[in-house]
Amino acid sequence: MTDKAAPKTPKATKPVTVVTPEAVPVAKTNVLAIVALVAGIAGLTVIPFVSSIVAVVTGHMARKEVRRTGEQGEGLALAGLITGYIGLGLGVLVAVLLIAFFGIVIASGMNGYYNY
């Protein structure tokens, strides 16, 4: 008796199902909200008064547009509004203090310097 290996027959296998992840749609961030935040930060640092006005205007526009379209960016718009209003408040405060300072300086002792 010769011992020969019997040919192996392949087993039936289940078909392999490959699952690919679907691309999840990402909500778009509102551009005006980004502009409001950048302008608000610039209003506190680089361009004090003008940029704060831009932040307030674009912040209000962005919040209205976000509510209407459902885009993301409500927090950015709110942060732009807050930094814009803080920048405007600081600008007005500095202007009032400068006017008061120069008013006091002019009223207090300018007549004493020109006496001969």
Side-chain angles (χ1 to χ4, degrees):
M1 274 182 126
T2 59
D3 210 8
K4 285 189 172 182
K8 294 184 178 179
T9 58
K11 293 182 180 178
T13 59
K14 293 181 183 178
V16 177
T17 304
V18 178
V19 178
T20 58
E22 294 182 26
V24 178
V26 178
K28 184 179 152 190
T29 304
N30 190 293
V31 176
L32 282 175
I34 297 170
V35 170
L37 180 62
V38 170
I41 293 171
L44 291 175
T45 56
V46 183
I47 310 168
F49 198 73
V50 175
S51 190
S52 295
I53 294 172
V54 172
V56 169
V57 171
T58 56
H60 282 292
M61 290 170 56
R63 288 189 73 188
K64 182 179 178 182
E65 195 170 298
V66 164
R67 283 190 216 115
R68 185 176 51 87
T69 63
E71 292 176 320
Q72 293 199 355
E74 177 74 23
L76 296 175
L78 184 61
L81 278 172
I82 291 169
T83 54
Y85 279 125
I86 289 173
L88 284 176
L90 288 175
V92 168
L93 180 67
V94 167
V96 167
L97 290 176
L98 282 173
I99 291 170
F101 174 74
F102 286 120
I104 291 170
V105 167
I106 290 171
S108 67
M110 294 301 286
N111 57 4
Y113 291 112
Y114 298 110
N115 291 338
Y116 294 104

